Amino acid sequence: HANGTVLYSARIIPFKGSWIEFATDINNVMYAYIDRKKKLPVTTLLRAIGYESDKDILRIFDLAEERNCVIVWAAGNETILAGMDCSKRNNNTIRVSALDQNLRPAEFSNFGYDYQGQNGGRDFSTVSAPGVNMWGCAHGNGYCSMKGTSQAAPIVTGAVALLKSVDRTLSARQIIDILQRTGKRIPGAVGPMIQIRDALQQVKGELLGYDDA
């Protein structure tokens, strides 16, 4: 915000049913929005779904850190700096940009990575992965070709899960360092393209460079 307050937001978009959005204001109060219309304190929503006491609610906000969770974001499809969305500014989350069939930044993908290290250590595009002409599920029990950073992000989520399967103690920051260090440099302002086998070998203490062979 213009006054220096860091604002956060998140959105749940179900296959069917109402959208639910969460956002903080300049007073650090969190609200929930249902279908972008009804606004209510997030505590009201939490109490409605079973978190009845203040203690129960406060416990929720400790879970991610306590359980060493890693959050993976789709960087967005507006061809703008990914950090324009305040929810994608945390250095301990992974923001994924999309690549096209030629392993170049997709024309729609949000960006924000500096290979020269002149961005003050803040990379709004953490890593990248293929996100064009991706085969996915469609209505009517079928499949279709899709594109978007929302197609690239699941690839990275899968890679994170594999890394965690090797060493479940890895923190978000450690996983980011591994994915960036073993990733393939991409022309343009998007993060390195993940190299899953090299990342796995890095966790095991050996960097093989499969994709350079």
Side-chain angles (χ1 to χ4, degrees):
H1 190 271
N3 69 3
T5 302
V6 178
L7 304 177
Y8 299 93
S9 65
R11 181 180 301 159
I12 300 173
I13 306 175
F15 186 71
K16 291 182 179 180
S18 299
W19 288 29
I20 302 178
E21 299 177 73
F22 302 93
T24 59
D25 65 11
I26 60 173
N27 297 310
N28 289 322
V29 177
M30 183 180 291
Y31 291 93
Y33 300 80
I34 299 176
D35 279 337
R36 300 187 175 184
K37 297 176 182 178
K38 181 66 175 178
K39 174 183 175 182
L40 63 157
V42 71
T43 51
T44 301
L45 176 63
L46 293 174
R47 293 183 197 280
I49 61 176
Y51 296 92
E52 297 179 356
S53 70
D54 291 348
K55 184 177 180 180
D56 291 337
I57 292 173
L58 291 172
R59 174 69 175 159
I60 297 171
F61 296 94
D62 296 327
L63 289 178
E65 184 174 354
E66 288 180 7
R67 297 183 181 181
N68 202 18
C69 295
V70 180
I71 298 174
V72 179
W73 290 93
N77 305 317
E78 296 82 28
T79 323
I80 60 174
L81 182 71
M84 294 293 288
D85 181 345
C86 61
S87 65
K88 296 182 174 66
R89 298 176 187 171
N90 189 308
N91 280 338
N92 289 318
T93 61
I94 300 176
R95 282 85 60 188
V96 185
S97 294
L99 304 176
D100 63 18
Q101 304 95 313
N102 299 313
L103 302 184
R104 300 277 181 165
E107 61 180 3
F108 54 79
S109 180
N110 289 358
F111 53 86
Y113 189 88
D114 182 4
Y115 285 95
Q116 304 302 318
Q118 298 177 357
N119 58 358
R122 183 177 293 277
D123 294 317
F124 297 121
S125 168
T126 313
V127 293
S128 58
V132 174
N133 288 342
M134 307 298 290
W135 203 237
C137 298
H139 293 286
N141 296 321
Y143 297 89
C144 67
S145 177
M146 296 182 285
K147 65 179 181 179
T149 55
S150 290
Q151 275 63 60
I155 297 173
V156 177
T157 302
V160 171
L162 287 172
L163 294 175
K164 283 279 196 176
S165 74
V166 176
D167 184 355
R168 64 185 302 173
T169 68
L170 288 171
S171 67
R173 188 66 255 172
Q174 289 173 316
I175 288 175
I176 290 170
D177 289 342
I178 291 168
L179 292 177
Q180 290 185 333
R181 186 166 62 249
T182 61
K184 184 175 182 178
R185 181 169 178 168
I186 298 297
V190 298
M193 181 177 67
I194 64 168
Q195 305 293 295
I196 297 176
R197 286 185 293 184
D198 280 352
L200 286 169
Q201 291 298 328
Q202 181 71 47
V203 174
K204 295 178 180 180
E206 182 181 1
L207 182 62
L208 295 183
Y210 285 100
D211 296 280
D212 296 328

